[in-house]
Amino acid sequence: ETVVEVARHRASFVGAELAVEHAARSTVMGVLNRRRYERVLDAVRAPVLILHGEQDRLVPVEASRRAVAGRPGWTLVTRADLGHVVQLEDPAWTVEQIRAWQSDAADRS
């Protein structure tokens, strides 16, 4: 029921279909051109937090593990019972993780 409500709400956004199409194209291109994808990730100089649900059926959690590996300042937090859209599935947990990550970053500064 909630998924249907979210889908209806998302469909009301202007340009939503184009955004989904762009995201899908980007994902496919990342898979097809792995070296380019890695260069884009390597170019990121800001700290990164990735929250990934282990029940994600669209993007395997291993993709996030590979993205974080060897990239100082990148952090991965997974949760076994969440899927692809952790921020919708458990917003409170998502906020908690972001705040903890920000706090840790402030402590390191």
Side-chain angles (χ1 to χ4, degrees):
E1 183 176 297
T2 302
V3 173
V4 172
E5 291 172 21
V6 169
R8 284 186 183 139
H9 181 66
R10 190 178 326 150
S12 71
F13 297 143
V14 174
E17 290 179 21
L18 184 59
V20 169
E21 179 184 327
H22 178 74
R25 186 178 303 123
S26 175
T27 300
V28 169
M29 292 308 292
V31 169
L32 295 177
N33 192 340
R34 183 86 181 150
R35 277 183 265 138
R36 179 174 179 236
Y37 174 74
E38 290 293 328
R39 282 194 308 269
V40 168
L41 295 183
D42 288 339
V44 175
R45 298 293 175 230
V48 173
L49 171 64
I50 298 175
L51 302 177
H52 201 126
E54 293 182 19
Q55 299 302 310
D56 188 336
R57 295 183 309 183
L58 185 60
V59 178
V61 72
E62 189 55 38
S64 289
R65 289 187 179 114
R66 281 193 309 268
V68 169
R71 291 189 173 91
W74 286 45
T75 303
L76 171 64
V77 179
T78 65
R79 187 161 141 192
D81 62 333
L82 295 180
H84 184 67
V85 192
V86 298
Q87 70 274 20
L88 295 179
E89 294 173 50
D90 194 337
W93 178 83
T94 300
V95 169
E96 179 182 307
Q97 299 309 308
I98 293 168
R99 286 183 175 156
W101 179 74
Q102 288 174 323
S103 178
D104 289 345
D107 290 345
R108 286 190 300 271
S109 298

XYZ file of all heavy atoms in Angstrom:
855
model
N 0.821 -1.193 0.000
C 0.000 0.000 0.000
C 0.867 1.259 0.000
O 0.656 2.157 -0.790
C -0.942 -0.028 1.206
C -1.879 1.152 1.227
C -2.855 1.045 2.371
O -3.646 0.080 2.373
O -2.800 1.903 3.237
N 1.843 1.338 0.883
C 2.715 2.507 0.940
C 3.504 2.663 -0.350
O 3.672 3.771 -0.834
C 3.681 2.399 2.139
O 2.905 2.271 3.324
C 4.564 3.613 2.247
N 3.969 1.556 -0.915
C 4.730 1.603 -2.160
C 3.875 2.203 -3.273
O 4.341 3.020 -4.063
C 5.249 0.203 -2.540
C 5.881 0.206 -3.914
C 6.228 -0.296 -1.502
N 2.607 1.810 -3.318
C 1.693 2.336 -4.330
C 1.502 3.843 -4.131
O 1.530 4.617 -5.089
C 0.336 1.597 -4.296
C -0.669 2.271 -5.216
C 0.523 0.141 -4.667
N 1.333 4.264 -2.886
C 1.186 5.695 -2.601
C 2.423 6.473 -3.020
O 2.309 7.545 -3.625
C 0.930 5.905 -1.104
C -0.415 5.416 -0.636
C -0.550 5.472 0.876
O 0.198 6.230 1.526
O -1.409 4.753 1.410
N 3.587 5.941 -2.716
C 4.837 6.604 -3.093
C 4.947 6.681 -4.611
O 5.320 7.714 -5.168
C 6.061 5.883 -2.479
C 7.356 6.394 -3.080
C 6.069 6.034 -0.973
N 4.610 5.596 -5.302
C 4.676 5.580 -6.762
C 3.728 6.607 -7.365
O 4.098 7.334 -8.295
C 4.352 4.185 -7.294
N 2.535 6.701 -6.825
C 1.577 7.707 -7.325
C 2.088 9.119 -7.068
O 1.996 9.987 -7.937
C 0.219 7.515 -6.665
C -0.540 6.357 -7.210
C -1.941 6.280 -6.629
N -2.616 5.094 -7.138
C -3.368 4.310 -6.426
N -3.595 4.573 -5.153
N -3.947 3.260 -6.962
N 2.613 9.343 -5.882
C 3.147 10.665 -5.542
C 4.308 11.017 -6.463
O 4.387 12.119 -6.993
C 3.588 10.691 -4.078
C 4.130 12.001 -3.633
N 3.353 13.145 -3.542
C 5.381 12.370 -3.272
C 4.098 14.145 -3.142
N 5.339 13.708 -2.970
N 5.222 10.068 -6.670
C 6.383 10.299 -7.524
C 5.942 10.590 -8.961
O 6.540 11.422 -9.643
C 7.297 9.078 -7.490
C 8.627 9.327 -8.145
C 9.568 8.153 -8.081
N 9.433 7.374 -6.880
C 9.669 6.078 -6.801
N 10.062 5.406 -7.859
N 9.530 5.426 -5.674
N 4.902 9.919 -9.433
C 4.409 10.117 -10.797
C 3.863 11.522 -10.999
O 3.810 12.022 -12.123
C 3.349 9.077 -11.132
N 3.485 12.187 -9.915
C 2.940 13.534 -10.040
C 4.025 14.583 -10.263
O 3.724 15.713 -10.631
C 2.132 13.903 -8.786
O 2.988 14.097 -7.666
N 5.291 14.217 -10.059
C 6.383 15.173 -10.246
C 6.610 15.428 -11.731
O 6.673 14.498 -12.528
C 7.687 14.668 -9.634
C 7.639 14.488 -8.147
C 8.304 13.433 -7.561
C 6.944 15.360 -7.325
C 8.284 13.246 -6.184
C 6.919 15.191 -5.955
C 7.584 14.133 -5.383
N 6.774 16.688 -12.079
C 7.091 17.048 -13.456
C 8.473 16.498 -13.781
O 9.426 16.693 -13.036
C 7.062 18.581 -13.635
C 7.528 18.966 -15.028
C 5.677 19.126 -13.350
N 8.577 15.791 -14.884
C 9.864 15.255 -15.308
C 10.258 13.952 -14.645
O 11.382 13.477 -14.830
N 9.360 13.339 -13.872
C 9.700 12.103 -13.149
C 10.077 10.988 -14.110
O 11.052 10.270 -13.879
C 8.541 11.675 -12.259
N 9.326 10.832 -15.185
C 9.627 9.767 -16.139
C 11.001 9.954 -16.758
O 11.763 9.000 -16.901
C 8.554 9.701 -17.227
C 7.227 9.184 -16.723
C 6.178 9.154 -17.810
O 6.545 9.150 -19.006
O 4.991 9.137 -17.460
N 11.337 11.190 -17.087
C 12.644 11.483 -17.668
C 13.764 11.181 -16.666
O 14.798 10.636 -17.027
C 12.711 12.947 -18.108
C 13.988 13.376 -18.818
C 14.211 12.550 -20.080
C 13.913 14.853 -19.159
N 13.531 11.502 -15.398
C 14.536 11.234 -14.367
C 14.763 9.735 -14.201
O 15.911 9.290 -14.076
C 14.104 11.857 -13.040
N 13.691 8.955 -14.222
C 13.829 7.502 -14.105
C 14.568 6.958 -15.326
O 15.464 6.111 -15.200
C 12.451 6.824 -13.945
C 12.558 5.313 -14.087
C 11.840 7.203 -12.603
N 14.232 7.463 -16.485
C 14.915 7.027 -17.710
C 16.408 7.362 -17.640
O 17.262 6.538 -17.979
C 14.287 7.706 -18.922
C 14.941 7.333 -20.238
C 14.337 8.102 -21.400
O 13.129 8.400 -21.370
O 15.095 8.400 -22.340
N 16.737 8.557 -17.187
C 18.133 8.975 -17.067
C 18.883 8.088 -16.070
O 20.009 7.661 -16.325
C 18.209 10.444 -16.642
C 19.605 10.927 -16.456
N 20.450 11.179 -17.507
C 20.314 11.181 -15.332
C 21.623 11.570 -17.049
N 21.564 11.589 -15.721
N 18.256 7.792 -14.937
C 18.888 6.944 -13.922
C 19.134 5.539 -14.473
O 20.206 4.959 -14.249
C 18.025 6.894 -12.665
N 18.167 5.002 -15.182
C 18.326 3.666 -15.756
C 19.449 3.655 -16.790
O 20.288 2.742 -16.808
C 17.013 3.207 -16.392
N 19.492 4.666 -17.641
C 20.542 4.763 -18.661
C 21.920 4.868 -17.996
O 22.872 4.224 -18.407
C 20.296 5.964 -19.570
C 21.282 6.028 -20.732
C 21.015 7.200 -21.677
N 19.670 7.162 -22.204
C 18.789 8.161 -22.078
N 19.107 9.254 -21.437
N 17.588 8.062 -22.599
N 22.001 5.682 -16.946
C 23.257 5.856 -16.228
C 23.727 4.546 -15.614
O 24.918 4.210 -15.659
C 23.068 6.920 -15.146
O 24.218 7.036 -14.361
N 22.806 3.793 -15.048
C 23.150 2.503 -14.439
C 23.666 1.533 -15.495
O 24.698 0.881 -15.297
C 21.921 1.903 -13.725
O 21.496 2.810 -12.713
C 22.240 0.554 -13.113
N 22.989 1.461 -16.608
C 23.408 0.556 -17.679
C 24.775 0.972 -18.211
O 25.662 0.126 -18.401
C 22.360 0.515 -18.821
C 22.910 -0.203 -20.046
C 21.088 -0.151 -18.328
N 24.997 2.261 -18.414
C 26.287 2.729 -18.917
C 27.403 2.431 -17.911
O 28.524 2.106 -18.304
C 26.236 4.225 -19.242
C 25.338 4.565 -20.426
S 25.708 3.588 -21.912
C 27.311 4.246 -22.311
N 27.101 2.534 -16.629
C 28.095 2.200 -15.612
C 28.512 0.749 -15.676
O 29.689 0.413 -15.518
N 27.553 -0.106 -15.941
C 27.849 -1.532 -16.056
C 28.647 -1.813 -17.325
O 29.613 -2.580 -17.307
C 26.538 -2.359 -16.044
C 26.808 -3.802 -16.420
C 25.874 -2.265 -14.686
N 28.282 -1.169 -18.409
C 28.930 -1.425 -19.691
C 30.318 -0.796 -19.794
O 31.174 -1.317 -20.495
C 28.049 -0.922 -20.843
C 26.715 -1.642 -21.010
C 25.913 -0.999 -22.137
C 26.917 -3.127 -21.263
N 30.529 0.323 -19.134
C 31.813 1.015 -19.228
C 32.415 1.142 -17.835
O 32.444 2.216 -17.250
C 31.627 2.383 -19.884
C 32.949 3.010 -20.264
O 33.990 2.633 -19.743
N 32.896 3.974 -21.152
N 32.909 0.032 -17.334
C 33.398 -0.047 -15.954
C 34.557 0.920 -15.692
O 34.620 1.542 -14.647
C 33.833 -1.495 -15.673
C 34.281 -1.739 -14.288
C 33.098 -2.039 -13.434
N 33.562 -2.260 -12.080
C 32.845 -1.993 -11.043
N 31.636 -1.524 -11.191
N 33.289 -2.189 -9.851
N 35.485 1.056 -16.639
C 36.633 1.955 -16.426
C 36.182 3.401 -16.287
O 36.674 4.131 -15.433
C 37.657 1.806 -17.554
C 38.589 0.618 -17.309
C 39.643 0.510 -18.374
N 39.102 -0.437 -19.351
C 39.165 -0.306 -20.655
N 39.786 0.711 -21.193
N 38.646 -1.193 -21.445
N 35.262 3.817 -17.114
C 34.753 5.193 -17.020
C 34.058 5.399 -15.677
O 34.224 6.421 -15.019
C 33.795 5.487 -18.158
C 33.229 6.884 -18.091
C 32.399 7.213 -19.321
N 31.870 8.546 -19.196
C 30.579 8.842 -19.258
N 29.691 7.890 -19.458
N 30.172 10.068 -19.129
N 33.275 4.431 -15.274
C 32.565 4.486 -13.995
C 33.564 4.645 -12.848
O 33.394 5.474 -11.964
C 31.733 3.204 -13.846
C 31.048 3.042 -12.513
C 29.939 3.799 -12.179
C 31.520 2.101 -11.597
C 29.302 3.634 -10.954
C 30.884 1.931 -10.369
C 29.788 2.697 -10.062
O 29.164 2.537 -8.848
N 34.629 3.857 -12.854
C 35.654 3.939 -11.806
C 36.343 5.302 -11.825
O 36.637 5.864 -10.763
C 36.687 2.818 -11.971
C 36.147 1.443 -11.660
C 35.789 1.252 -10.192
O 36.438 1.860 -9.325
O 34.854 0.478 -9.917
N 36.601 5.860 -13.004
C 37.223 7.197 -13.088
C 36.317 8.261 -12.485
O 36.779 9.172 -11.792
C 37.557 7.551 -14.536
C 38.803 6.872 -15.061
C 39.304 7.500 -16.354
N 38.289 7.621 -17.379
C 38.018 6.714 -18.316
N 38.698 5.588 -18.362
N 37.088 6.928 -19.216
N 35.028 8.145 -12.722
C 34.077 9.100 -12.143
C 34.107 8.994 -10.624
O 34.164 10.006 -9.912
C 32.654 8.872 -12.696
C 31.621 9.649 -11.906
C 32.586 9.240 -14.171
N 34.085 7.765 -10.093
C 34.139 7.587 -8.641
C 35.451 8.128 -8.080
O 35.463 8.790 -7.034
C 33.977 6.116 -8.265
C 32.641 5.459 -8.585
C 32.637 4.022 -8.075
C 31.472 6.232 -8.035
N 36.566 7.861 -8.754
C 37.869 8.329 -8.280
C 37.970 9.853 -8.264
O 38.762 10.412 -7.513
C 38.994 7.757 -9.148
C 39.223 6.282 -8.906
O 38.820 5.770 -7.837
O 39.809 5.620 -9.792
N 37.180 10.512 -9.086
C 37.227 11.974 -9.156
C 36.525 12.644 -7.982
O 36.713 13.833 -7.741
C 36.601 12.450 -10.472
N 35.731 11.896 -7.237
C 35.011 12.465 -6.098
C 36.011 12.726 -4.975
O 36.699 11.824 -4.519
C 33.887 11.523 -5.608
C 33.229 12.060 -4.347
C 32.866 11.305 -6.716
N 36.099 13.961 -4.538
C 37.051 14.349 -3.494
C 36.383 14.602 -2.145
O 37.058 14.759 -1.143
C 37.823 15.600 -3.921
C 38.646 15.387 -5.166
C 39.779 14.409 -4.891
N 40.502 14.108 -6.105
C 40.778 12.878 -6.513
N 40.396 11.845 -5.816
N 41.435 12.683 -7.626
N 35.084 14.620 -2.122
C 34.339 14.859 -0.880
C 34.132 13.540 -0.144
O 34.133 12.472 -0.761
C 32.986 15.486 -1.200
N 33.959 13.602 1.172
C 33.597 12.381 1.908
C 32.257 11.856 1.387
O 31.396 12.626 0.963
C 33.460 12.859 3.352
C 34.165 14.167 3.411
C 34.077 14.761 2.040
N 32.104 10.551 1.412
C 30.896 9.923 0.876
C 30.342 8.936 1.897
O 31.090 8.161 2.484
C 31.207 9.177 -0.445
C 30.009 8.366 -0.923
C 31.662 10.158 -1.513
N 29.041 8.975 2.079
C 28.333 7.987 2.885
C 27.369 7.262 1.963
O 26.541 7.889 1.293
C 27.542 8.649 4.019
C 26.580 7.738 4.793
C 27.352 6.636 5.532
C 25.729 8.548 5.754
N 27.475 5.946 1.924
C 26.544 5.127 1.153
C 25.747 4.285 2.142
O 26.320 3.560 2.953
C 27.277 4.210 0.160
C 28.064 5.036 -0.850
C 26.279 3.280 -0.537
C 28.910 4.203 -1.788
N 24.429 4.398 2.078
C 23.533 3.566 2.873
C 22.908 2.561 1.911
O 22.309 2.957 0.910
C 22.452 4.416 3.542
C 22.956 5.530 4.451
C 21.784 6.348 4.983
C 23.784 4.974 5.584
N 23.066 1.288 2.203
C 22.621 0.269 1.248
C 21.867 -0.839 1.971
O 22.374 -1.418 2.928
C 23.845 -0.333 0.542
C 23.517 -0.986 -0.756
N 24.155 -0.663 -1.921
C 22.606 -1.932 -1.080
C 23.666 -1.390 -2.903
N 22.715 -2.171 -2.411
N 20.670 -1.117 1.493
C 19.896 -2.232 2.026
C 20.356 -3.539 1.408
O 20.508 -3.636 0.190
N 20.582 -4.537 2.231
C 21.063 -5.819 1.727
C 19.995 -6.598 0.969
O 20.312 -7.563 0.275
C 21.646 -6.643 2.873
C 22.916 -6.010 3.428
C 23.560 -6.818 4.532
O 23.271 -8.028 4.666
O 24.369 -6.229 5.262
N 18.733 -6.173 1.067
C 17.650 -6.798 0.308
C 17.399 -6.075 -1.019
O 16.403 -6.339 -1.696
C 16.355 -6.814 1.140
C 16.465 -7.604 2.428
C 16.863 -9.042 2.194
O 16.270 -9.739 1.368
N 17.875 -9.495 2.905
N 18.293 -5.167 -1.393
C 18.176 -4.413 -2.644
C 18.224 -5.388 -3.815
O 19.199 -6.108 -3.992
C 19.337 -3.409 -2.734
C 19.201 -2.437 -3.889
O 18.520 -2.756 -4.876
O 19.797 -1.351 -3.792
N 17.157 -5.422 -4.612
C 17.100 -6.321 -5.758
C 17.495 -5.627 -7.052
O 17.581 -6.257 -8.095
C 15.707 -6.925 -5.885
C 15.375 -7.821 -4.700
C 14.059 -8.486 -4.826
N 13.015 -7.518 -5.143
C 11.743 -7.803 -5.264
N 11.329 -9.030 -5.097
N 10.862 -6.870 -5.545
N 17.760 -4.312 -6.978
C 18.157 -3.563 -8.169
C 19.670 -3.412 -8.255
O 20.269 -3.635 -9.305
C 17.487 -2.183 -8.162
C 17.706 -1.312 -9.378
C 17.177 -1.981 -10.631
C 17.034 0.036 -9.184
N 20.299 -3.030 -7.149
C 21.755 -2.836 -7.105
C 22.318 -3.745 -6.019
O 21.988 -3.572 -4.847
C 22.117 -1.366 -6.796
C 23.622 -1.191 -6.714
C 21.505 -0.421 -7.827
N 23.149 -4.695 -6.381
C 23.715 -5.595 -5.365
C 24.569 -4.821 -4.362
O 25.282 -3.892 -4.733
C 24.583 -6.568 -6.173
C 24.229 -6.361 -7.599
C 23.611 -5.006 -7.722
N 24.497 -5.210 -3.101
C 25.285 -4.543 -2.058
C 26.773 -4.647 -2.363
O 27.558 -3.776 -1.987
C 24.924 -5.087 -0.657
C 25.446 -6.495 -0.456
C 25.435 -4.163 0.432
N 27.168 -5.667 -3.078
C 28.582 -5.822 -3.453
C 29.063 -4.653 -4.305
O 30.246 -4.277 -4.249
C 28.801 -7.149 -4.187
C 30.247 -7.491 -4.418
C 31.079 -7.507 -3.144
O 30.591 -7.953 -2.088
O 32.246 -7.070 -3.202
N 28.183 -4.044 -5.086
C 28.565 -2.869 -5.886
C 28.984 -1.718 -4.971
O 29.960 -1.017 -5.247
C 27.409 -2.450 -6.787
N 28.277 -1.542 -3.879
C 28.655 -0.490 -2.927
C 29.941 -0.850 -2.198
O 30.772 0.012 -1.927
C 27.529 -0.249 -1.917
O 26.440 0.383 -2.554
N 30.101 -2.117 -1.888
C 31.350 -2.544 -1.232
C 32.547 -2.277 -2.137
O 33.596 -1.812 -1.684
C 31.268 -4.027 -0.857
C 30.316 -4.292 0.291
C 30.381 -5.751 0.753
N 29.467 -5.942 1.861
C 28.389 -6.708 1.816
N 28.082 -7.392 0.718
N 27.603 -6.819 2.870
N 32.397 -2.563 -3.430
C 33.489 -2.286 -4.380
C 33.730 -0.792 -4.506
O 34.871 -0.351 -4.603
C 33.157 -2.886 -5.750
C 33.411 -4.368 -5.851
C 33.370 -4.859 -7.298
N 32.178 -4.449 -8.025
C 31.051 -5.168 -8.110
N 30.969 -6.327 -7.506
N 30.023 -4.719 -8.795
N 32.662 -0.001 -4.510
C 32.810 1.451 -4.648
C 33.583 2.044 -3.488
O 34.409 2.941 -3.661
C 31.437 2.116 -4.777
N 33.361 1.552 -2.291
C 33.998 2.085 -1.083
C 35.435 1.588 -0.935
O 36.294 2.305 -0.422
C 33.146 1.725 0.159
C 33.877 2.021 1.444
C 31.824 2.476 0.114
N 35.699 0.380 -1.408
C 37.027 -0.232 -1.231
C 38.118 0.644 -1.842
O 38.030 1.058 -2.997
C 37.041 -1.620 -1.866
N 39.109 0.944 -1.042
C 40.245 1.719 -1.535
C 39.990 3.200 -1.692
O 40.797 3.905 -2.286
N 38.887 3.674 -1.186
C 38.577 5.102 -1.279
C 38.474 5.678 0.127
O 37.421 5.606 0.754
C 37.288 5.316 -2.065
C 37.459 4.963 -3.529
C 36.259 5.364 -4.364
N 36.567 5.158 -5.766
C 36.328 4.036 -6.426
N 35.766 3.007 -5.819
N 36.649 3.930 -7.704
N 39.569 6.247 0.613
C 39.545 6.855 1.952
C 38.473 7.937 2.026
O 38.255 8.672 1.064
C 40.937 7.464 2.100
C 41.777 6.806 1.060
C 40.849 6.410 -0.049
N 37.814 8.011 3.126
C 36.758 9.004 3.282
C 35.392 8.528 2.828
O 34.404 9.229 2.979
N 35.339 7.345 2.245
C 34.068 6.767 1.839
C 33.633 5.775 2.904
O 34.437 4.968 3.381
C 34.190 6.055 0.492
C 34.290 6.968 -0.692
C 35.081 8.082 -0.792
C 33.613 6.840 -1.932
N 34.930 8.648 -2.031
C 34.034 7.901 -2.755
C 32.705 5.925 -2.428
C 33.549 8.078 -4.050
C 32.233 6.101 -3.716
C 32.655 7.174 -4.514
N 32.368 5.823 3.267
C 31.826 4.959 4.309
C 30.591 4.236 3.770
O 29.736 4.859 3.134
C 31.422 5.796 5.547
O 32.559 6.523 6.000
C 30.870 4.926 6.654
N 30.512 2.955 4.053
C 29.344 2.159 3.684
C 28.690 1.638 4.945
O 29.356 1.071 5.810
C 29.756 0.973 2.798
C 28.668 -0.067 2.512
C 27.509 0.539 1.720
C 29.269 -1.260 1.774
N 27.389 1.841 5.050
C 26.591 1.268 6.131
C 25.489 0.460 5.462
O 24.758 0.980 4.614
C 25.981 2.355 7.049
C 25.137 1.717 8.140
C 27.071 3.233 7.643
N 25.387 -0.809 5.840
C 24.346 -1.665 5.270
C 23.360 -2.056 6.355
O 23.661 -1.977 7.547
C 24.944 -2.946 4.645
O 25.535 -3.730 5.668
C 25.958 -2.618 3.572
N 22.202 -2.468 5.901
C 21.199 -2.978 6.832
C 20.512 -4.167 6.185
O 20.004 -4.075 5.062
C 20.196 -1.893 7.207
C 19.263 -2.394 8.309
C 18.580 -1.307 9.033
N 17.214 -1.732 9.290
C 16.272 -0.939 9.708
N 16.524 0.341 9.926
N 15.050 -1.393 9.914
N 20.491 -5.257 6.899
C 20.046 -6.541 6.358
C 18.584 -6.554 5.917
O 18.235 -7.236 4.952
C 20.287 -7.653 7.377
N 17.722 -5.814 6.583
C 16.289 -5.927 6.301
C 15.739 -4.833 5.392
O 14.528 -4.730 5.226
C 15.494 -5.957 7.604
C 15.651 -4.676 8.415
O 16.699 -4.009 8.290
O 14.731 -4.348 9.182
N 16.609 -4.035 4.784
C 16.141 -2.975 3.894
C 16.485 -3.289 2.448
O 17.380 -4.075 2.167
C 16.754 -1.623 4.291
C 16.350 -1.085 5.662
C 17.021 0.254 5.929
C 14.844 -0.975 5.803
N 15.760 -2.637 1.542
C 15.961 -2.850 0.116
C 16.618 -1.671 -0.566
O 17.538 -1.058 -0.033
N 16.116 -1.307 -1.745
C 16.761 -0.318 -2.607
C 16.585 1.124 -2.141
O 17.440 1.961 -2.409
C 16.227 -0.467 -4.033
C 16.888 0.434 -5.017
N 18.222 0.285 -5.370
C 16.428 1.502 -5.711
C 18.539 1.224 -6.245
N 17.468 1.967 -6.473
N 15.513 1.423 -1.456
C 15.221 2.825 -1.113
C 15.186 2.972 0.408
O 14.134 3.169 1.013
C 13.887 3.283 -1.753
C 13.741 4.795 -1.636
C 13.810 2.867 -3.210
N 16.356 2.903 1.012
C 16.432 2.888 2.477
C 15.797 4.128 3.095
O 15.187 4.056 4.162
C 17.885 2.710 2.989
C 18.448 1.377 2.538
C 18.779 3.853 2.557
N 15.921 5.275 2.437
C 15.392 6.516 3.003
C 13.864 6.516 3.079
O 13.290 7.213 3.916
C 15.908 7.746 2.246
C 15.368 7.913 0.848
C 16.146 7.160 -0.217
O 16.879 6.220 0.072
N 15.982 7.575 -1.463
N 13.206 5.732 2.258
C 11.749 5.604 2.335
C 11.343 4.442 3.236
O 10.312 4.496 3.896
C 11.144 5.396 0.945
C 11.278 6.552 -0.038
C 10.654 6.184 -1.373
C 10.649 7.812 0.514
N 12.155 3.404 3.240
C 11.830 2.220 4.022
C 11.994 2.455 5.521
O 11.224 1.918 6.316
C 12.692 1.044 3.566
C 12.379 0.621 2.136
C 13.342 -0.423 1.617
O 13.565 -1.427 2.316
O 13.863 -0.234 0.503
N 12.997 3.224 5.895
C 13.192 3.548 7.314
C 13.839 4.923 7.429
O 15.058 5.046 7.632
C 14.040 2.487 8.017
C 13.974 2.610 9.538
O 13.671 3.716 10.040
O 14.220 1.603 10.223
N 13.031 5.973 7.306
C 13.570 7.338 7.343
C 14.307 7.660 8.646
O 15.342 8.331 8.616
C 12.334 8.228 7.186
C 11.270 7.358 6.651
C 11.589 5.957 7.069
N 13.801 7.186 9.770
C 14.456 7.484 11.051
C 15.852 6.869 11.091
O 16.811 7.515 11.536
C 13.604 6.973 12.216
N 15.989 5.648 10.643
C 17.304 4.998 10.599
C 18.241 5.771 9.683
O 19.413 5.975 9.999
C 17.156 3.544 10.130
C 18.479 2.836 10.010
C 19.179 2.244 11.016
C 19.243 2.647 8.824
N 20.346 1.693 10.518
C 20.404 1.936 9.175
C 19.078 3.018 7.485
C 21.385 1.578 8.243
C 20.045 2.659 6.563
C 21.188 1.953 6.952
N 17.712 6.199 8.528
C 18.518 6.949 7.569
C 19.058 8.230 8.199
O 20.254 8.517 8.108
C 17.686 7.280 6.312
O 17.247 6.049 5.724
C 18.485 8.072 5.306
N 18.189 8.979 8.860
C 18.618 10.216 9.524
C 19.648 9.910 10.604
O 20.660 10.610 10.735
C 17.404 10.978 10.111
C 17.844 12.106 11.021
C 16.520 11.500 8.987
N 19.414 8.853 11.363
C 20.350 8.459 12.419
C 21.740 8.168 11.847
O 22.755 8.597 12.407
C 19.790 7.220 13.117
C 20.646 6.669 14.224
C 20.012 5.414 14.814
O 18.832 5.462 15.206
O 20.714 4.387 14.854
N 21.785 7.463 10.729
C 23.069 7.131 10.103
C 23.779 8.370 9.583
O 24.998 8.517 9.743
C 22.877 6.119 8.963
C 22.295 4.804 9.395
C 23.037 4.186 10.557
O 24.256 4.029 10.521
N 22.316 3.833 11.609
N 23.030 9.270 8.971
C 23.630 10.497 8.440
C 24.170 11.354 9.574
O 25.301 11.859 9.503
C 22.610 11.283 7.580
C 22.273 10.485 6.318
C 23.142 12.675 7.239
C 21.090 11.015 5.541
N 23.407 11.502 10.625
C 23.864 12.307 11.768
C 25.105 11.700 12.415
O 26.040 12.423 12.770
C 22.746 12.467 12.782
C 21.680 13.432 12.312
C 20.621 13.642 13.348
N 19.689 14.672 12.907
C 18.447 14.772 13.331
N 17.974 13.926 14.237
N 17.670 15.728 12.872
N 25.130 10.385 12.588
C 26.297 9.725 13.181
C 27.521 9.911 12.297
O 28.621 10.198 12.787
C 26.003 8.238 13.393
N 27.345 9.795 10.988
C 28.445 9.971 10.034
C 28.971 11.402 10.083
O 30.185 11.628 10.107
C 27.958 9.586 8.640
C 28.958 9.744 7.552
C 30.046 8.952 7.308
C 28.951 10.737 6.534
N 30.712 9.404 6.195
C 30.056 10.496 5.699
C 28.100 11.808 6.238
C 30.348 11.283 4.588
C 28.384 12.583 5.136
C 29.501 12.327 4.331
N 28.058 12.366 10.118
C 28.469 13.768 10.206
C 29.203 14.045 11.516
O 30.204 14.757 11.543
C 27.252 14.695 10.092
C 26.682 14.740 8.701
C 25.406 15.552 8.642
O 24.583 15.524 9.558
N 25.228 16.263 7.543
N 28.724 13.476 12.589
C 29.347 13.660 13.889
C 30.758 13.066 13.895
O 31.700 13.693 14.396
C 28.493 13.010 14.975
O 29.117 13.136 16.227
N 30.906 11.887 13.326
C 32.233 11.259 13.238
C 33.168 12.112 12.405
O 34.349 12.279 12.757
C 32.136 9.859 12.625
C 31.475 8.842 13.541
O 31.338 9.143 14.766
O 31.106 7.760 13.057
N 32.661 12.670 11.317
C 33.494 13.520 10.445
C 33.918 14.773 11.194
O 35.068 15.212 11.091
C 32.731 13.880 9.180
N 33.020 15.354 11.979
C 33.348 16.562 12.759
C 34.388 16.241 13.814
O 35.292 17.042 14.069
C 32.086 17.125 13.395
N 34.297 15.067 14.418
C 35.279 14.660 15.443
C 36.668 14.468 14.844
O 37.671 14.729 15.509
C 34.834 13.351 16.122
C 33.619 13.549 17.016
O 33.287 14.716 17.338
O 33.001 12.540 17.388
N 36.735 14.026 13.585
C 38.030 13.803 12.925
C 38.670 15.109 12.476
O 39.851 15.159 12.227
C 37.868 12.864 11.727
C 37.645 11.421 12.141
C 37.728 10.500 10.931
N 36.731 10.816 9.914
C 35.499 10.305 9.871
N 35.106 9.472 10.796
N 34.667 10.617 8.897
N 37.871 16.151 12.323
C 38.392 17.444 11.808
C 39.175 18.195 12.841
O 39.117 18.101 13.974
C 37.249 18.317 11.328
O 36.595 17.677 10.275
